[in-house]
Amino acid sequence: MGAKLLCLVLASALLAYSVYIPVPEVFEEPWKVMFIMASFRVLGRLAEVTDQLGLVHYTKLMKLIIHLEYVPPTSDENVTVTDTKFSNVPVRLYLPRRPSDGLRRAVIYFHGGGWCTGHPGMKSYDCLTRRTSNRLNAVVVSVNYRLAPEYRFPVQFEDAYSVTKFFLQSSVLSQYRVDPDRVCVAGDSAGGNLAAAVAQQVKKKDEDSEVEPKLKAQALIYPPLQALDLNLPSYREHENSCMSPKLFMVRLWSDYFTSDSSLPEAMASNRHVPAESSHLFQFVNWSNLLPEEMKKDHVYTSPVYGSSELALEHLGFLDPRAAPLLVSDAQLRGLPPTYILTCEYDILRDDGVMYARRLQAAGVPVTHFHAKDAFHGMMSFISGPASLAVGHRLLNRYIEWLNENL
Ligand SMILES: *[C@@H]1O[C@H](CO)[C@@H](O)[C@H](O)[C@H]1NC(C)=O
Ligand SMILES: *[C@@H]1O[C@H](CO)[C@@H](O)[C@H](O)[C@H]1NC(C)=O
């Protein structure tokens, strides 16, 4: 009771303090955006405070949103929706009802939520995947991978990859009448990270002819793609943004790998990479990889190295299955046509921009759409009172790209 009362008092104080946030002029619907930003700021602060007081781990508060937003699998006149399991991983399956002339296309979708929250059954994700299925007359597999901190890297990746491998089997594809040459992976935020990592793994295994067929495309929606350099221009400019402030992102990254608090401390000061791994910095060198308008007058400084013990214990953050930007150009060659959405008001902006640039240089067809009037996560604001016109536009653009490229 004491803890609850304390939370309530803290929440009210924070609400009063946080409501007014200047919203950049480029944003449409500024009042709605301000309200959304304020709510996220309050939630973020509340999670931070209760976590520091040792009351509740912040991920518990973040998981609450799953329960608040949960909708059971519900079919409608266009799409049959069921919860099932693929390769022992729970998935929500969307099967279009409209007849199809031939075999159907398919999208394997990974939701966002910082590897520690999110669910295919959240209203916003259900709406997104349902609409994708209906508009493309495609089968959509929305993957309910296991979450941190109960499960850590590589579990999230392994779940995402096993579902993909399972679905790509010819017997499964034919059961759902899916064209083996028209399957893609897609995901937003942490889900975009998983989609990029899965696409790399499928390509790698395909070269060893272990997984067939290939993926037709990948769509990466504001993905985090590396935790090597956490001082990119976008990190500097949006360090205190409401949706994904730097210290929060550091926490999400480190909780993906370990409970050891020395990792987030080292990451916060960008001294977490050991000198032995210095060769990896070329893959995230923003001084070469960002366009001038994003570099602005930020000054590139050489990396400062940390202790090797740290990395040896938590090798995850140097592993391309967690950080798809950390592979060589040769390993990028042959990846499927790619859609990347980045948002201007997002610390993860530069991860996506650099990946688009590197894929292009490796000869991969890339459609990079940079939304100048959007913040991190905006493509999920498509249902209920928090529905935003820009969210619908971003979603339509993504579906249009899939329609033309899948
Ligand atoms: C079914 O599809 C039609 C045509 O795309 C659309 O107008 C309608 O809203 C859809 N129904 C639902 C429940 O989404
Ligand atoms: C990054 O690029 C700059 C400019 O090309 C170069 O001077 C610097 O040595 C590079 N740093 C790393 C770590 O690759």
Side-chain angles (χ1 to χ4, degrees):
M1 186 62 211
K4 278 186 194 154
L5 191 65
L6 183 61
C7 286
L8 192 69
V9 171
L10 282 173
S12 324
L14 288 168
L15 185 67
Y17 167 71
S18 310
V19 167
Y20 183 74
I21 297 166
V23 171
E25 267 176 29
V26 291
F27 281 102
E28 242 181 288
E29 305 176 277
W31 284 99
K32 225 173 183 177
V33 169
M34 187 166 97
F35 185 74
I36 292 170
M37 285 181 162
S39 323
F40 273 82
R41 180 167 284 186
V42 170
L43 267 179
R45 294 261 162 85
L46 189 65
E48 200 180 301
V49 171
T50 51
D51 188 286
Q52 273 167 11
L53 291 176
L55 296 174
V56 216
H57 197 264
Y58 76 103
T59 52
K60 284 238 167 65
L61 271 187
M62 289 185 64
K63 282 190 176 85
L64 261 184
I65 198 160
I66 302 178
H67 301 288
L68 295 175
E69 265 222 40
Y70 181 81
V71 287
T74 314
S75 301
D76 62 37
E77 76 252 39
N78 304 316
V79 187
T80 304
V81 184
T82 46
D83 280 350
T84 178
K85 278 187 176 180
F86 281 174
S87 184
N88 245 340
V89 179
V91 297
R92 186 166 284 196
L93 190 62
Y94 298 80
L95 301 173
R97 288 195 168 169
R98 248 184 300 150
S100 168
D101 294 339
L103 295 175
R104 287 199 165 87
R105 304 180 274 187
V107 179
I108 304 172
Y109 195 83
F110 309 112
H111 66 76
W115 306 281
C116 72
T117 184
H119 191 287
M122 279 166 67
K123 187 98 205 321
S124 49
Y125 285 120
D126 183 68
C127 185
L128 188 158
T129 39
R130 185 183 296 271
R131 204 175 299 173
T132 310
S133 173
N134 184 29
R135 293 259 292 276
L136 301 176
N137 199 10
V139 173
V140 176
V141 180
S142 187
V143 183
N144 192 9
Y145 55 88
R146 284 170 287 174
L147 301 172
E150 290 80 8
Y151 299 94
R152 300 192 196 266
F153 176 80
V155 169
Q156 286 79 344
F157 166 81
E158 294 291 358
D159 282 357
Y161 182 58
S162 349
V163 167
T164 308
K165 216 165 67 169
F166 178 90
F167 190 71
L168 287 176
Q169 296 174 101
S170 53
S171 56
V172 179
L173 292 170
S174 62
Q175 182 187 342
Y176 295 107
R177 301 188 35 79
V178 168
D179 185 339
D181 296 324
R182 299 178 84 185
V183 181
C184 79
V185 286
D188 65 294
S189 198
N193 164 283
L194 293 171
V198 165
Q200 287 187 3
Q201 193 77 357
V202 169
K203 182 188 90 86
K204 198 166 140 193
K205 297 288 178 174
D206 179 59
E207 282 160 3
D208 311 335
S209 64
E210 276 180 41
V211 186
E212 280 196 277
K214 287 183 162 78
L215 293 169
K216 177 76 187 291
Q218 60 174 341
L220 315 176
I221 307 303
Y222 31 76
L225 296 164
Q226 59 90 30
L228 201 71
D229 187 350
L230 301 178
N231 196 26
L232 304 168
S234 55
Y235 269 85
R236 299 178 194 182
E237 287 169 28
H238 304 295
E239 186 173 353
N240 296 315
S241 71
C242 299
M243 307 305 288
S244 51
K246 175 171 171 173
L247 288 180
F248 181 57
M249 195 59 223
V250 160
R251 206 55 211 274
L252 292 173
W253 269 122
S254 56
D255 276 330
Y256 189 19
F257 307 118
T258 178
S259 59
D260 181 348
S261 63
S262 59
L263 184 62
E265 277 164 29
M267 277 181 163
S269 58
N270 214 31
R271 286 159 190 261
H272 54 295
V273 181
E276 294 90 316
S277 305
S278 61
H279 66 286
L280 294 174
F281 276 96
Q282 62 181 304
F283 302 136
V284 296
N285 189 340
W286 61 264
S287 143
N288 297 327
L289 295 168
L290 287 186
E292 289 304 325
E293 73 266 22
M294 289 181 182
K295 283 203 267 189
K296 294 192 186 138
D297 45 10
H298 296 290
V299 179
Y300 183 84
T301 51
S302 298
V304 181
Y305 300 109
S307 101
S308 6
E309 279 122 67
L310 199 62
L312 286 179
E313 276 173 51
H314 318 304
L315 273 175
F317 71 88
L318 302 172
D319 189 322
R321 294 173 305 162
L325 256 169
L326 303 186
V327 299
S328 68
D329 294 352
Q331 289 167 286
L332 294 176
R333 237 164 269 142
L335 279 169
T338 303
Y339 181 77
I340 296 188
L341 168 67
T342 51
C343 297
E344 179 59 30
Y345 297 90
D346 185 359
I347 56 170
L348 300 175
R349 177 194 74 186
D350 296 348
D351 283 21
V353 174
M354 292 196 295
Y355 201 49
R357 178 78 179 269
R358 290 197 55 211
L359 286 170
Q360 261 156 358
V364 175
V366 176
T367 303
H368 174 203
F369 177 58
H370 181 61
K372 291 204 163 122
D373 57 350
F375 54 72
H376 186 78
M378 240 166 178
M379 207 175 90
S380 311
F381 290 92
I382 49 167
S383 64
S387 164
L388 293 170
V390 58
H392 287 274
R393 276 205 302 277
L394 296 178
L395 179 61
N396 288 341
R397 210 179 246 269
Y398 152 81
I399 292 177
E400 265 327 297
W401 186 86
L402 286 178
N403 195 27
E404 284 162 21
N405 293 277
L406 179 60

